[in-house]
Amino acid sequence: MIKKLTFLLTLMLVVTGISAQQWNLMPMPKSIEAADGAYRIQSEGVTVTLQGNYHQRLPMNAAWFLTRLGKRTTIPMLPKQGKEIVVKVNRAGTVKLGENESYQLKVTPTEVTIEAETDLGAIYAMETLLQLVNRDAQGFYIPAVTIADSPRFPWRGLMIDAGRHFMPVDVIKRNIDAMAAVKLNVLHFHLTEDQGFRIECKTFPKLHQLGSNGEYYTQEQIKEIIAYANLRGIRVMPEFDMPGHTTAWMPGAPEIASAPGPYEIEKRFGVFGATMNPTSEKTYKFLDKFFKEMAALFPDEYMHIGGDENNGEQWNANPAIQKFMKEKGIKDNHQLQAHFNKRLLKILQKHKKKMMGWDEIFQPDLPQSIVIHSWRGRQYMDEAAQKGYQSVLSNGYYIDLSFNARKHYMVDPLPDTTHLTAEQQKRILGGEAPMWAELVTLENVESRIWPRTAAIAERLWSPNPAAPIDDMYRRLMVVSQRLEETGSRHMANREPMMRRLAGTSNIQPLMLLTNAAEPIEGYKRHGSQKYTTYHPLSRFVDVTMPDAPDAIEFSLLLNRFIESKSSDTYVELSKMLTRWEMNHQQFAVIAKENPLLTEVEPLSINLAMLAATTNVMLKQLYYGKMLTKDDAAKMERVIIELAKPVAEMNLPLADDAKRILELVTDSTNTLPSTEE
Ligand code: ACM
């Protein structure tokens, strides 16, 4: 009861804080109390003074903090000049699951003080501080505030699939920097797939030599990534997906396969037959040596062994495997995979690693030290927790599916409706956003990860219940800019892609269209054509982002308009619609005789027509003119037609058009309107 009350009080504080102050924080802290006044950043800048015992990552991050603050304010941050920001830390933190990440931050008009048990907490405090920095006509300031913060869940991850498309080291590092800015602490590195074996293996060099087309991380690069992540307080957990999803292992290691082959790296996407042979001692000898090497390379205590989507094709077709199953009384492929997992677990234990795997690995006779990674459904997570296993949620956080941030934000690892007992709830470690890479390359992967993953990060860090969706989006748009300060190219990479498509540097009309269009959701893109790793993914759809920024802005404004009917908001909305309406003329000039834009032209026309239609309805809403049911039905048919996907893209404006239509429909009147 007391816990509930504190919770509510915290929420009330947060809520009053938001309305009074419009905090631009993401994730929102556990508790935030606004005070009067502000700490002004003067022309002599600020300095950070570190006190106590800490790891070298603290001075590095203090410098990183000052660099970003300097860039934002354009003020040189000279050493030992300007006002002091005091950072007090008790001890050096260890980048491992469950480490203390809490901090306290106090800002008064004269002082900024950070206190934390470990440097990890202090680093997060500096990230919060950067998000707090605001500007007005006088310059930059930090509002006076007291924050006490700690994460709700200890496992807050982003998974990057470098198997399907290789992601160079600088892409990984940029994502690490962005992760730290929103307090994520696990980089789950999916390193092997049917389409690529992406890590240098010294024991079995044929694995990367024959399994990667030359695109793999050397061990030096892996060490560099781990060290870089450590400095940002982020764990790196590798995944070696097995026994399925292993086509790319087999050209270099056919002796561990369940069928003789020959094998080549897979170019298509889907679920394939190549599977390790769980009945052969050769497989385990091989994996023992493999994991010995990898365990020494990756310091994290967890090792992810995948375990998902084994279709059993090769096992069913192999008489020796069938014979083995009969002899051992193994009834089906699920049991055979459990047999494999048990052997694998022994190997990992020998090399001092804890095992994690996708929810298919769950089998009640595996020891409770393993972690279940729920992707097929949250029920697998709950079931694991009920049976004594720790688990991490990814179901609902699949950012490769191009759903809006709203959808992911609604997913909570421990919703209020949970049936888990307090004891079982403790086993829910947190969540991870998986960035599967069938349809992303190094050019657009960041635009699919950010800023949406910041909303997931808030889910995993901040107290439940979450903030209202509109406020989440408002903050997400600010965070998107803040992430650019860390070097993230989620917005920036779109421009060169667009120039390449346009064949000219005049991309303004394309930009406007991209900011209003989104890739179609779910697995629908795979339905429209058979993608392979040969596809360059450089079409217009690959430039668009889920949560199209202008469409979001329009939606948020519309919410405000519906509430207030204010003329300012009306004018603002109408201007946006007019801009979209007029854009097609300009677009058509660039698209003329440009075959790359032919498929996009109908989308540009649809946007213009949808905007024009919406503008008419908006005007009716503003002036209180209603449509008869019949006219509304006609209008709806028009909207539905204009909302149809074009070249694997959608126009989210259509949803807002439908909302407005509903508001201007006089459901009691079926007579045709006389005003036409
Ligand atoms: C998965 O998405 N196959 C884990």
Side-chain angles (χ1 to χ4, degrees):
M1 187 62 206
I2 294 211
K3 210 173 155 200
K4 262 234 150 86
L5 249 169
T6 331
F7 203 57
L8 275 174
L9 279 174
T10 312
L11 178 74
M12 276 162 62
L13 276 175
V14 170
V15 171
T16 35
I18 287 169
S19 53
Q21 191 85 48
Q22 294 257 311
W23 301 108
N24 290 329
L25 301 172
M26 184 169 273
M28 281 301 289
K30 193 170 178 179
S31 112
I32 177 164
E33 261 177 273
D36 289 335
Y39 176 97
R40 288 259 155 210
I41 298 167
Q42 314 284 8
S43 57
E44 64 273 19
V46 298
T47 66
V48 178
T49 305
L50 306 177
Q51 297 177 359
N53 303 309
Y54 46 82
H55 184 271
Q56 68 164 107
R57 71 176 76 85
L58 188 59
M60 286 209 49
N61 281 279
W64 174 231
F65 164 83
L66 287 173
T67 299
R68 284 179 290 162
L69 184 62
K71 282 196 195 290
R72 183 150 5 131
T73 58
T74 73
I75 297 169
M77 300 290 166
L78 302 174
K80 300 197 169 63
Q81 288 191 28
K83 281 198 272 191
E84 257 186 342
I85 292 176
V86 178
V87 180
K88 296 178 197 164
V89 167
N90 277 342
R91 64 176 171 86
T94 308
V95 179
K96 65 169 202 179
L97 179 66
E99 177 57 294
N100 188 321
E101 298 172 301
S102 67
Y103 68 89
Q104 290 179 38
L105 168 62
K106 192 170 163 94
V107 180
T108 71
T110 53
E111 280 177 337
V112 175
T113 322
I114 288 168
E115 286 183 35
E117 169 66 14
T118 70
D119 44 74
L120 301 170
I123 291 168
Y124 288 142
M126 288 190 279
E127 292 297 338
T128 303
L129 199 51
L130 267 176
Q131 292 189 350
L132 280 170
V133 174
N134 219 327
R135 69 176 93 192
D136 60 15
Q138 279 82 53
F140 289 84
Y141 66 93
I142 309 170
V145 72
T146 302
I147 288 176
D149 203 5
S150 60
R152 182 166 167 228
F153 294 105
W155 192 302
R156 305 177 305 279
L158 168 66
M159 191 212 79
I160 296 182
D161 168 11
R164 293 185 172 94
H165 279 102
F166 183 66
M167 302 294 164
V169 175
D170 60 342
V171 174
I172 301 297
K173 284 184 172 175
R174 285 204 297 272
N175 277 290
I176 287 170
D177 289 340
M179 286 171 71
V182 294
K183 303 181 174 68
L184 289 174
N185 65 359
V186 183
L187 172 65
H188 169 173
F189 212 174
H190 186 84
L191 285 165
T192 58
E193 251 311 330
D194 295 305
Q195 297 81 2
F197 186 100
R198 305 292 185 192
I199 180 168
E200 177 188 18
C201 179
K202 298 194 181 190
T203 316
F204 304 108
K206 280 188 185 160
L207 285 174
H208 66 271
Q209 285 165 0
L210 302 180
S212 70
N213 289 322
E215 290 187 309
Y216 63 88
Y217 304 99
T218 65
Q219 296 209 352
E220 283 315 304
Q221 288 174 322
I222 291 287
K223 284 180 198 160
E224 187 186 329
I225 288 169
I226 294 168
Y228 192 84
N230 184 289
L231 289 172
R232 297 269 182 259
I234 292 171
R235 299 165 43 206
V236 178
M237 173 185 63
E239 177 183 349
F240 303 104
D241 202 348
M242 59 185 68
H245 283 283
T246 47
T247 312
W249 294 63
M250 302 318 181
E255 69 274 22
I256 63 170
S258 299
Y263 291 94
E264 52 182 62
I265 300 170
E266 186 55 66
K267 300 296 178 192
R268 299 162 300 169
F269 298 119
V271 175
F272 302 98
T275 312
M276 290 178 182
N277 186 343
T279 67
S280 158
E281 285 310 308
K282 268 193 221 154
T283 304
Y284 301 111
K285 282 205 183 91
F286 183 100
L287 289 176
D288 184 28
K289 287 185 189 155
F290 176 80
F291 279 115
K292 181 178 179 202
E293 181 181 339
M294 294 305 154
L297 184 60
F298 289 91
D300 199 67
E301 54 183 333
Y302 287 89
M303 191 70 92
H304 201 300
I305 55 98
D308 57 319
E309 296 182 311
N310 167 20
N311 68 13
E313 240 172 50
Q314 289 195 344
W315 292 356
N316 296 340
N318 181 324
I321 291 176
Q322 294 303 308
K323 183 162 170 265
F324 178 94
M325 287 170 75
K326 210 168 265 163
E327 278 168 13
K328 300 267 181 205
I330 295 173
K331 287 194 196 68
D332 55 23
N333 287 338
H334 186 62
Q335 280 197 9
L336 184 57
Q337 188 163 340
H339 166 85
F340 173 77
N341 289 338
K342 274 183 237 164
R343 294 288 304 264
L344 206 52
L345 180 69
K346 285 220 171 68
I347 293 172
L348 291 185
Q349 285 172 334
K350 178 176 161 195
H351 302 301
K352 311 243 171 339
K353 294 293 177 192
K354 292 181 180 164
M355 185 163 110
M356 178 162 179
W358 299 107
D359 53 41
E360 285 99 325
I361 75 160
F362 181 59
Q363 181 79 12
D365 57 349
L366 283 168
Q368 293 182 342
S369 59
I370 67 169
V371 175
I372 304 300
H373 195 169
S374 160
W375 75 280
R376 289 176 301 166
R378 64 174 314 122
Q379 67 272 26
Y380 297 101
M381 183 181 79
D382 289 351
E383 190 191 343
Q386 280 160 347
K387 295 196 169 140
Y389 296 81
Q390 292 185 314
S391 62
V392 167
L393 183 67
S394 275
N395 179 268
Y397 297 140
Y398 267 46
I399 50 175
D400 60 315
L401 299 184
S402 294
F403 291 119
N404 293 148
R406 171 191 295 114
K407 185 157 177 138
H408 298 305
Y409 193 66
M410 301 305 285
V411 177
D412 195 291
L414 276 176
D416 291 341
T417 51
T418 183
H419 299 301
L420 299 180
T421 65
E423 190 61 26
Q424 291 162 354
Q425 289 185 29
K426 281 193 210 131
R427 300 188 187 118
I428 308 296
L429 297 175
E432 275 187 15
M435 183 67 245
W436 297 108
E438 284 92 341
L439 295 182
V440 289
T441 69
L442 60 100
E443 280 185 326
N444 68 351
V445 65
E446 281 152 283
S447 78
R448 301 300 161 93
I449 298 176
W450 308 108
R452 279 184 307 157
T453 301
I456 298 172
E458 172 157 293
R459 259 299 167 187
L460 300 174
W461 178 282
S462 307
N464 188 28
I469 293 292
D470 279 21
D471 188 63
M472 180 277 284
Y473 267 124
R474 184 189 62 74
R475 290 178 293 121
L476 192 67
M477 295 298 119
V478 180
V479 163
S480 184
Q481 278 196 27
R482 299 284 186 263
L483 290 171
E484 287 200 291
E485 292 179 1
T486 71
S488 175
R489 299 194 57 80
H490 62 285
M491 301 295 282
N493 269 2
R494 301 182 316 148
E495 294 192 18
M497 291 176 81
M498 209 106 61
R499 278 192 286 274
R500 194 174 53 204
L501 275 171
T504 157
S505 58
N506 169 25
I507 53 166
Q508 202 49 42
L510 272 65
M511 210 52 178
L512 207 75
L513 183 59
T514 338
N515 284 335
E518 293 176 353
I520 49 175
E521 293 174 343
Y523 294 105
K524 286 187 203 140
R525 285 192 67 188
H526 294 288
S528 63
Q529 59 174 300
K530 281 271 168 247
Y531 278 100
T532 68
T533 55
Y534 294 118
H535 281 77
L537 300 176
S538 56
R539 286 159 62 216
F540 202 82
V541 59
D542 301 300
V543 187
T544 55
M545 312 166 79
D547 291 310
D550 289 351
I552 296 291
E553 196 188 325
F554 184 87
S555 241
L556 295 184
L557 261 177
L558 180 61
N559 291 348
R560 274 182 23 213
F561 176 69
I562 290 171
E563 231 172 67
S564 69
K565 298 272 161 45
S566 93
S567 54
D568 286 358
T569 325
Y570 169 66
V571 170
E572 200 66 24
L573 285 167
S574 187
K575 266 197 211 155
M576 285 185 85
L577 290 167
T578 307
R579 227 173 12 241
W580 280 328
E581 200 181 325
M582 306 308 285
N583 191 56
H584 182 64
Q585 274 183 341
Q586 313 286 323
F587 179 91
V589 173
I590 299 176
K592 203 169 156 220
E593 292 174 22
N594 183 337
L596 301 184
L597 295 178
T598 307
E599 65 165 0
V600 191
E601 190 144 18
L603 187 79
S604 177
I605 294 171
N606 285 358
L607 179 64
M609 289 172 66
L610 197 54
T613 311
T614 310
N615 226 344
V616 171
M617 293 190 300
L618 187 73
K619 194 169 178 183
Q620 287 185 286
L621 182 60
Y622 184 59
Y623 289 106
K625 292 225 169 89
M626 300 300 274
L627 280 175
T628 65
K629 255 168 97 175
D630 285 355
D631 284 349
K634 275 185 219 152
M635 196 64 114
E636 192 182 8
R637 283 196 291 276
V638 171
I639 296 171
I640 289 171
E641 200 52 41
L642 296 173
K644 285 189 177 155
V646 172
E648 300 172 35
M649 287 174 282
N650 272 330
L651 295 172
L653 174 61
D655 292 333
D656 286 329
K658 283 181 203 157
R659 282 206 294 156
I660 299 173
L661 177 62
E662 227 169 85
L663 292 170
V664 294
T665 303
D666 180 355
S667 54
T668 60
N669 185 359
T670 51
L671 289 174
S673 151
T674 51
E675 290 188 24
E676 274 177 57

